């Protein structure tokens, strides 16, 4: 056993950087309103988190700019868009999906440049899934009466959509595709740190000849988001981001009769039983927490491992960690890229320091982090207690907290002992145990013998402080419709 788990020998890779020549950045970008580019009074510079290099100047939309965008969306809704036959609406969505596929490499490179995620993830996960969402919802556009029989579905009107920085283009697709399929128009605000793929998406809208005003993109920080939320002529808000901001939005909208869906944080338990295939479980654990640097709301950030297999599992996990390649997001061999922003790095560092102070045992594999940019080594904490901050709070970084359990009841109790309820994972060879756990876990998604699998046909969303409403599948259309019957 010890011999089998000896440290791996150095396995050197030649650098394999994806060329960034396919992306041609403008020096500056305006706000995409009514199919035209508006010049905002205020601007800021968006950077690459991997080396802090400035990439482009983008707009900081003011309340007046947001008002113009909502006006354009209202005009398009009252005009051409809602009068369009649903099958015609579908054609635009199909075109957008095809164009995203055709320009996938350009989008993937830009996503990695601006957000810091490894190119193999933006190329193999973000882009194919973003296109798949447009394809999937294109198919529903002319079938809403069949999807919701005898309920006379109608679009709600203008949707305000606010998205985070962890999956910029994919979150845009999650929001825009169902909204348009249901016949709404949209004002979308990307996250402050990752506006560039949303701005490139405006060029896809131009190519698809989407009528002006159907989709409007306003960049900016939280002030822009707040202006969108409080705008009187927005019929529905869809928000993905932190629980704190989600609660503020809910307070702001209370009593106004507007639609609201919130997809907020998580602290998912990834639960490994003693009969699980350990090597596969290790891959699932790694995918669960180090995918996208752990900037994943449904990340498996708490590993619950059955006590009898703790030692071999942790040994295997540490050994696997030593093979992860941290570095240049554009290198095709990179497994863990850059942390998205200085602020996020600071938050991770603070929580990791708290974990050490509270007595948990830290492990980080030897790895050389680049000197410039924002980086954090893959980290595992053992000896974690339920009360530790690292077991309770969302770290949103490549940091795993390991806890143990003896019985399925204890695993369940610990897994559900969180303010969140977005996702969970169960690793066991017994189907009956998977079903027993899945029925009792308070989590919107439960993965069995896998983790972080996404599909446009499958609803996604949370319980408790992870929010409400579902995105994906038929469920994802409902918040964008109102029903006469
Ligand atoms: P936020 O909730 O602040 O950001 C999400 C989006 O909301 C961004 O577009 C943001 O703009 C916008 N926003 C910020 N303030 C307001 C407001 N008052 N009204 C309306 N919109 C607003 O998340 P952060 O980016 O600050 O990340 C903080 C923490 O949130 C992370 O450490 C992580 O724990 C969690 N998080 C969870 C996500 C999830 O998918 N569930 C995604 C991102 C973060 P801006 O970009 O300018 O801040």
């Amino acid at each position: 056993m010890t011999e089998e788990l000896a440290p791996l020998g150095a396995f050197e890779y030649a650098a394999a950087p994806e060329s960034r020549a396919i992306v041609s950045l403008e020096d500056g970008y305006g706000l995409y309103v009514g199919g035209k580019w508006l010049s905002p009074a205020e601007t800021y510079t968006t950077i690459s988190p991997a080396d802090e290099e400035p990439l482009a100047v983008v707009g900081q939309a003011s309340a007046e700019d947001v008002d113009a965008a909502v006006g354009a969306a209202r005009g398009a809704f009252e005009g051409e868009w809602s009068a369009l036959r649903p099958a015609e609406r579908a054609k635009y969505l199909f075109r957008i999906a095809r164009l995203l596929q055709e320009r996938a490499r350009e989008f993937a490179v830009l996503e990695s440049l601006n957000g810091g995620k490894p190119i193999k993830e933006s190329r193999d996960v973000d882009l194919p899934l973003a296109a798949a969402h447009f394809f999937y919802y294109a198919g529903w556009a002319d079938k809403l009466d069949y999807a919701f029989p005898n309920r006379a579905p109608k679009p709600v009107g203008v949707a305000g959509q606010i998205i985070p920085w962890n999956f910029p283009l994919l979150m845009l697709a999650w929001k825009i595709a169902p909204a348009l399929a249901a016949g709404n128009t949209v004002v979308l605000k990307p996250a402050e740190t990752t506006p560039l793929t949303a701005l490139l998406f405006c060029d896809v809208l131009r190519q698809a000849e989407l009528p002006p005003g159907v989709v409007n993109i306003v960049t900016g920080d939280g002030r822009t988001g707040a202006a969108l939320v409080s705008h009187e002529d927005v019929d529905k808000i869809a928000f993905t981001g932190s629980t704190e901001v989600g609660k503020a939005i809910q307070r702001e909208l209370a009593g106004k009769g507007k639609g609201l869906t919130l997809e907020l944080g998580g602290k998912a338990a990834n639960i490994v039983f003693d009969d699980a295939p350990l090597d596969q479980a290790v891959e699932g654990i790694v995918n669960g927490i180090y995918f996208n640097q752990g900037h994943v709301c449904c990340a498996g950030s708490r590993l619950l491992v059955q006590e009898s297999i703790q030692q071999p599992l942790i040994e295997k996990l540490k050994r696997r960690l030593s093979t992860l390649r941290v570095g240049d997001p554009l290198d095709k061999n990179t497994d863990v890229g850059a942390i998205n922003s200085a602020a996020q790095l600071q938050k991770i560092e603070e929580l990791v320091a708290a974990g050490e102070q509270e007595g948990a045992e830290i492990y980080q594999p030897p790895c050389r982090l680049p000197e410039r940019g924002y980086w954090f080594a893959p980290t595992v904490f053992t000896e974690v207690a339920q009360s530790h901050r690292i077991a309770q709070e969302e770290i949103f970084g490549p940091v795993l907290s390991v806890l143990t359990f003896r019985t399925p009841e204890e695993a369940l109790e610990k897994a559900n002992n969180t303010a969140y309820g977005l996702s969970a994972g169960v690793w066991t060879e017994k189907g009956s145990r998977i079903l027993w756990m899945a029925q009792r876990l308070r989590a919107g998604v439960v993965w069995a013998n896998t983790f972080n699998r996404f599909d446009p046909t499958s609803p996604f969303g949370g319980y408790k402080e992870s929010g409400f409403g579902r995105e994906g599948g038929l469920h994802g259309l409902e918040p964008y419709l109102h029903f006469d019957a």
Side-chain angles (χ1 to χ4, degrees):
M1 171 80 91
T2 327
E3 202 174 43
E4 189 202 332
L5 294 182
L8 293 175
F11 189 51
E12 288 303 327
Y13 292 76
E18 179 78 39
S19 165
R20 53 183 281 187
I22 193 164
V23 171
S24 54
L25 283 170
E26 311 279 333
D27 291 337
Y29 291 87
L31 310 169
Y32 191 71
V33 173
K36 298 200 174 70
W37 291 101
L38 295 190
S39 306
E42 209 185 312
T43 58
Y44 69 95
T45 300
T46 185
I47 64 163
S48 159
D51 56 10
E52 299 167 64
E53 176 202 347
L55 293 175
V57 173
V58 297
Q60 163 65 47
S62 64
E64 291 72 40
D65 297 325
V66 169
D67 186 50
V70 174
R74 176 60 60 192
F77 180 72
E78 306 290 347
E80 196 178 344
W81 188 245
S82 57
L84 210 59
R85 281 197 313 116
E88 291 300 314
R89 232 167 41 220
K91 284 187 194 168
Y92 287 106
L93 290 170
F94 277 122
R95 270 187 219 165
I96 293 170
R98 291 284 297 129
L99 286 161
L100 283 177
Q101 285 187 320
E102 280 170 27
R103 300 179 66 174
R105 197 154 78 83
E106 181 186 1
F107 271 95
V109 171
L110 187 58
E111 197 74 303
S112 287
L113 258 182
N114 198 198
K117 66 171 65 196
I119 185 72
K120 70 176 177 189
E121 290 179 8
S122 26
R123 183 194 61 197
D124 298 346
V125 181
D126 297 58
L127 260 296
L129 273 176
H133 272 79
F134 279 101
F135 274 123
Y136 174 73
Y137 281 111
W140 277 122
D142 62 349
K143 301 175 192 70
L144 298 177
D145 288 329
Y146 301 97
F148 305 101
N150 306 318
R151 295 179 69 195
K154 301 268 182 328
V156 294
V158 175
Q161 307 183 318
I162 300 168
I163 55 171
W165 39 263
N166 51 348
F167 294 91
L169 187 74
L170 183 57
M171 288 300 104
L172 173 151
W174 279 30
K175 296 278 182 287
I176 292 182
L180 297 196
N184 303 274
T185 57
V186 161
V187 178
L188 177 130
K189 190 199 93 67
E192 181 187 1
T193 56
T194 52
L196 292 181
T197 46
L199 292 167
L200 184 61
F201 181 74
C202 300
D203 197 46
V204 165
L205 300 178
R206 178 193 60 77
Q207 283 180 290
E209 296 176 8
L210 190 75
V214 174
V215 171
N216 305 274
I217 310 264
V218 287
T219 53
D221 62 17
R223 291 170 293 165
T224 307
L228 186 56
V229 169
S230 59
H231 197 290
E232 284 184 359
D233 205 25
V234 171
D235 299 296
K236 181 229 158 24
I237 291 289
F239 172 81
T240 299
S242 63
T243 295
E244 189 194 346
V245 174
K247 285 180 181 175
I249 291 175
Q250 197 174 10
R251 278 195 296 275
E252 167 70 30
L253 294 185
K256 293 191 177 168
K258 296 186 180 193
L260 175 64
T261 41
L262 296 177
E263 202 267 272
L264 310 175
K267 193 73 188 171
N270 204 358
I271 307 163
V272 185
F273 285 95
D274 59 5
D275 60 348
L278 291 197
D279 290 324
Q280 271 124 298
V282 165
E283 291 310 308
I285 295 162
V286 167
N287 178 258
I289 186 63
Y290 304 112
F291 170 64
N292 200 28
Q293 296 74 246
H295 300 332
V296 184
C297 48
C298 52
S301 52
R302 288 183 298 152
L303 173 64
L304 300 191
V305 51
Q306 197 149 18
E307 205 173 84
S308 52
I309 54 159
Q310 185 194 11
Q311 197 210 348
L313 186 75
I314 298 302
E315 271 178 36
K316 280 177 185 280
L317 181 62
K318 287 181 176 173
R319 184 166 179 268
R320 178 69 176 86
L321 249 58
S322 70
T323 68
L324 289 180
R325 299 180 63 81
V326 185
D328 180 7
L330 287 183
D331 191 315
K332 283 168 270 191
N333 291 324
T334 292
D335 299 304
V336 180
I339 299 302
N340 184 266
S341 65
Q344 189 58 30
L345 179 59
Q346 199 183 354
K347 181 182 167 190
I348 296 168
E349 286 171 345
E350 190 223 312
L351 275 162
V352 166
E356 287 187 274
Q357 274 157 21
E358 287 181 318
E361 203 168 285
I362 189 168
Y363 171 79
Q364 291 175 324
C367 65
R368 220 177 308 123
L369 300 179
E371 273 167 23
R372 294 195 64 200
Y374 315 127
W375 302 94
F376 202 83
T379 301
V380 177
F381 274 111
T382 48
E383 308 300 326
V384 179
Q386 287 275 86
S387 57
H388 288 169
R389 283 182 68 194
I390 53 167
Q392 293 292 332
E393 294 180 33
E394 187 179 42
I395 302 174
F396 227 62
V399 182
L400 179 68
S401 301
V402 183
L403 298 118
T404 59
F405 67 89
R406 288 181 184 169
T407 63
E409 289 77 10
E410 188 187 349
L412 194 62
E413 187 83 19
K414 286 183 166 165
N416 286 338
N417 180 19
T418 166
Y420 296 109
L422 196 53
S423 64
V426 181
W427 296 82
T428 170
E429 67 163 20
K430 292 188 186 64
S432 57
R433 181 174 279 165
I434 289 168
L435 294 175
W436 190 89
M437 292 293 290
Q439 281 163 356
R440 290 162 179 79
L441 283 163
R442 290 286 290 162
V445 181
V446 179
W447 285 291
N449 294 324
T450 186
F451 210 90
N452 273 343
R453 295 276 157 230
F454 306 98
D455 190 287
T457 64
S458 172
F460 182 92
Y463 289 106
K464 302 193 280 185
E465 294 201 9
S466 291
F468 49 78
R470 295 291 178 265
E471 295 183 301
L474 258 189
H475 301 66
L477 284 167
E478 277 193 61
Y480 291 102
L481 292 166
H482 71 80
F483 300 97
D484 286 345

